[in-house]
Short mmCIF file of all heavy atoms in Angstrom, two decimals:
data_model
loop_
_atom_site.label_atom_id
_atom_site.label_comp_id
_atom_site.label_asym_id
_atom_site.label_seq_id
_atom_site.Cartn_x
_atom_site.Cartn_y
_atom_site.Cartn_z
N PRO A 221 74.14 190.84 61.63
CA PRO A 221 75.10 191.68 62.39
C PRO A 221 75.33 191.20 63.81
O PRO A 221 76.44 191.33 64.34
CB PRO A 221 74.43 193.07 62.36
CG PRO A 221 73.61 193.06 61.12
CD PRO A 221 73.08 191.66 61.03
N VAL A 222 74.30 190.63 64.44
CA VAL A 222 74.46 190.11 65.80
C VAL A 222 75.32 188.85 65.79
O VAL A 222 76.12 188.61 66.72
CB VAL A 222 73.08 189.82 66.42
CG1 VAL A 222 73.23 189.23 67.82
CG2 VAL A 222 72.25 191.08 66.48
N LEU A 223 75.20 188.04 64.74
CA LEU A 223 75.94 186.79 64.66
C LEU A 223 77.37 186.97 64.16
O LEU A 223 78.18 186.04 64.31
CB LEU A 223 75.21 185.82 63.71
CG LEU A 223 73.80 185.38 64.10
CD1 LEU A 223 73.24 184.44 63.04
CD2 LEU A 223 73.80 184.71 65.47
N THR A 224 77.68 188.11 63.57
CA THR A 224 78.99 188.30 62.94
C THR A 224 80.17 188.06 63.88
O THR A 224 81.11 187.32 63.53
CB THR A 224 79.08 189.69 62.30
OG1 THR A 224 78.09 189.82 61.29
CG2 THR A 224 80.45 189.91 61.66
N PRO A 225 80.20 188.65 65.08
CA PRO A 225 81.35 188.37 65.97
C PRO A 225 81.51 186.89 66.30
O PRO A 225 82.61 186.36 66.31
CB PRO A 225 81.05 189.20 67.23
CG PRO A 225 80.14 190.28 66.76
CD PRO A 225 79.31 189.66 65.68
N ALA A 226 80.40 186.22 66.58
CA ALA A 226 80.47 184.78 66.89
C ALA A 226 80.88 183.98 65.66
O ALA A 226 81.63 183.00 65.78
CB ALA A 226 79.12 184.28 67.40
N LEU A 227 80.43 184.38 64.49
CA LEU A 227 80.81 183.69 63.26
C LEU A 227 82.31 183.84 63.01
O LEU A 227 82.98 182.89 62.59
CB LEU A 227 80.01 184.25 62.08
CG LEU A 227 80.20 183.55 60.73
CD1 LEU A 227 79.76 182.08 60.83
CD2 LEU A 227 79.41 184.27 59.65
N LEU A 228 82.83 185.03 63.25
CA LEU A 228 84.28 185.24 63.08
C LEU A 228 85.07 184.42 64.11
O LEU A 228 86.13 183.88 63.79
CB LEU A 228 84.61 186.73 63.24
CG LEU A 228 84.15 187.64 62.10
CD1 LEU A 228 84.40 189.11 62.47
CD2 LEU A 228 84.87 187.30 60.81
N THR A 229 84.54 184.31 65.32
CA THR A 229 85.21 183.50 66.34
C THR A 229 85.22 182.04 65.94
O THR A 229 86.24 181.35 66.06
CB THR A 229 84.49 183.67 67.69
OG1 THR A 229 84.52 185.04 68.08
CG2 THR A 229 85.17 182.83 68.76
N GLY A 230 84.08 181.53 65.48
CA GLY A 230 84.03 180.14 65.02
C GLY A 230 84.95 179.89 63.85
O GLY A 230 85.62 178.85 63.79
N PHE A 231 85.02 180.84 62.93
CA PHE A 231 85.94 180.72 61.80
C PHE A 231 87.39 180.66 62.27
O PHE A 231 88.18 179.84 61.81
CB PHE A 231 85.73 181.90 60.84
CG PHE A 231 86.81 182.03 59.80
CD1 PHE A 231 86.77 181.26 58.64
CD2 PHE A 231 87.87 182.90 59.97
CE1 PHE A 231 87.75 181.37 57.68
CE2 PHE A 231 88.86 183.02 59.02
CZ PHE A 231 88.81 182.25 57.87
N ALA A 232 87.73 181.54 63.21
CA ALA A 232 89.10 181.57 63.73
C ALA A 232 89.45 180.27 64.44
O ALA A 232 90.57 179.74 64.29
CB ALA A 232 89.28 182.77 64.66
N LEU A 233 88.53 179.75 65.24
CA LEU A 233 88.78 178.49 65.94
C LEU A 233 88.94 177.34 64.97
O LEU A 233 89.83 176.49 65.13
CB LEU A 233 87.64 178.21 66.92
CG LEU A 233 87.51 179.15 68.12
CD1 LEU A 233 86.24 178.82 68.91
CD2 LEU A 233 88.73 179.04 69.02
N ALA A 234 88.08 177.27 63.95
CA ALA A 234 88.17 176.21 62.96
C ALA A 234 89.48 176.31 62.18
O ALA A 234 90.13 175.30 61.88
CB ALA A 234 86.98 176.25 62.01
N PHE A 235 89.88 177.52 61.85
CA PHE A 235 91.11 177.73 61.11
C PHE A 235 92.33 177.33 61.94
O PHE A 235 93.23 176.62 61.47
CB PHE A 235 91.23 179.20 60.70
CG PHE A 235 92.50 179.56 60.01
CD1 PHE A 235 92.75 179.12 58.71
CD2 PHE A 235 93.46 180.32 60.65
CE1 PHE A 235 93.94 179.45 58.08
CE2 PHE A 235 94.65 180.65 60.01
CZ PHE A 235 94.88 180.22 58.72
N ALA A 236 92.36 177.76 63.20
CA ALA A 236 93.48 177.42 64.07
C ALA A 236 93.55 175.92 64.32
O ALA A 236 94.65 175.34 64.37
CB ALA A 236 93.36 178.18 65.40
N ARG A 237 92.39 175.29 64.49
CA ARG A 237 92.36 173.84 64.69
C ARG A 237 92.89 173.11 63.48
O ARG A 237 93.62 172.11 63.59
CB ARG A 237 90.93 173.40 65.00
CG ARG A 237 90.76 171.90 65.21
CD ARG A 237 91.42 171.46 66.52
NE ARG A 237 91.21 170.04 66.75
CZ ARG A 237 91.97 169.07 66.27
NH1 ARG A 237 93.02 169.38 65.51
NH2 ARG A 237 91.71 167.81 66.54
N ALA A 238 92.54 173.58 62.29
CA ALA A 238 92.97 172.93 61.07
C ALA A 238 94.48 173.07 60.86
O ALA A 238 95.13 172.14 60.35
CB ALA A 238 92.22 173.51 59.87
#
Side-chain angles (χ1 to χ4, degrees):
V222 178
L223 298 180
T224 298
L227 185 61
L228 289 174
T229 301
F231 168 82
L233 292 174
F235 176 72
R237 179 70 177 86

